[in-house]
Amino acid sequence: MRPVTAENPEIPSTPEHADFLEATRASYDAIAPAYTDHFSDWPADSHPLDRSLVTAFAELAREHAPAPVADLGSGPGSVTAHLHALGNPVFGVDLSPRMVTLARRAHPELRFHVGSMTSLDLPDETLGGIIALYSIIHVPDDHLTSTLVEFHRVLKPGAPVLLAFQTGDTADRLHMTERFGQKIALDYHWRTPDTVADALTKAGLQLQARLQREPQYEEKRPRAFLLAQRAA
């Protein structure tokens, strides 16, 4: 199997491959420039609670340096760059080759790769942390636990993982066909914090903390943050 890179952006044909990966990749490729313009100013545009949790995650992950942090669903790369500024060795992974190109252009000092969080091209126990902010929302329920098992596989013992996601009833799903004036086919899966916490436990990750805050500004749904770790 050829590695997935920005020069070879095909999603590999593996047991983990599913149609939702191709739909997500194509959708974010279509909206990448507008999305980057809208969401490239993190942490300046983020809620203070969000920034504090990312800072706490960064401190926990630095205990496992020089093992790097992986920012999964890194998008424009602003969170990756913030972690780098906090002193973490870090790289970004995104399903969209166009997103990766824009992130590399904005942050040439950092590494960004095309890849899928459902099947990471990494050896076992190599990461000092995983952060996935608003990216597991595109993973269907029947792939969520297996994706978190993949997180467990690549984390070093004791290393943290921070998830953020919009919350909702477990059965909730939004299918968007247009965003930023572009035609897309993108599914958003809303879940309760308990649902995601249960999936973390099934994947062998130990829940350390959870926080849910109410919508702010233009947000329409509550936001949940779950901090977990692979057992030491």
Side-chain angles (χ1 to χ4, degrees):
M1 181 178 69
R2 292 190 298 163
V4 182
T5 67
E7 293 74 28
N8 171 38
E10 298 92 347
I11 298 171
S13 179
T14 69
E16 292 80 12
H17 171 75
D19 290 343
F20 79 91
L21 293 175
E22 173 57 28
T24 303
R25 182 203 62 76
S27 295
Y28 275 101
D29 271 354
I31 65 175
Y35 186 98
T36 297
D37 288 344
H38 194 74
F39 292 109
S40 61
D41 201 16
W42 203 100
D45 290 339
S46 63
H47 192 280
L49 282 173
D50 302 10
R51 294 196 300 272
S52 66
L53 287 169
V54 171
T55 299
F57 163 83
E59 182 176 342
L60 293 169
R62 283 197 299 273
E63 296 177 6
H64 302 276
V69 168
D71 179 10
L72 302 183
S74 50
S78 53
V79 174
T80 319
H82 183 64
L83 288 167
H84 175 71
L86 290 174
N88 292 85
V90 60
F91 63 93
V93 178
D94 201 276
L95 197 59
S96 162
R98 202 172 184 192
M99 280 288 193
V100 167
T101 296
L102 293 174
R104 287 173 174 172
R105 186 178 303 165
H107 308 285
E109 75 282 9
L110 299 178
R111 292 188 295 126
F112 294 93
H113 307 284
V114 177
S116 171
M117 67 172 65
T118 64
S119 182
L120 295 165
D121 186 19
L122 294 168
D124 295 354
E125 299 185 6
T126 56
L127 294 182
I130 287 175
I131 187 167
L133 303 187
Y134 308 107
S135 49
I136 65 167
I137 58 174
H138 300 304
V139 178
D141 291 342
D142 57 353
H143 289 267
L144 180 60
T145 299
S146 62
T147 297
L148 297 177
V149 167
E150 182 71 347
F151 289 13
H152 181 279
R153 179 184 70 81
V154 298
L155 284 169
K156 293 180 69 68
V161 54
L162 179 64
L163 306 178
F165 51 96
Q166 296 93 333
T167 69
D169 293 336
T170 301
D172 281 358
R173 181 176 71 90
L174 171 67
H175 179 74
M176 292 190 69
T177 58
E178 185 274 335
R179 196 177 185 193
F180 297 116
Q182 299 293 323
K183 293 182 179 179
I184 61 173
L186 193 57
D187 288 332
Y188 296 75
H189 301 271
W190 312 131
R191 303 179 175 99
T192 66
D194 285 344
T195 297
V196 180
D198 183 59
L200 283 165
T201 300
K202 289 178 179 177
L205 296 162
Q206 299 176 339
L207 186 66
Q208 302 294 303
R210 71 173 77 193
L211 180 144
Q212 181 172 319
R213 65 169 178 80
E214 295 306 306
Q216 303 290 322
Y217 312 115
E218 63 184 27
E219 298 171 353
K220 297 179 180 179
R221 288 178 172 271
R223 307 294 174 104
F225 292 79
L226 298 183
L227 178 68
Q229 69 173 26
R230 177 170 172 169

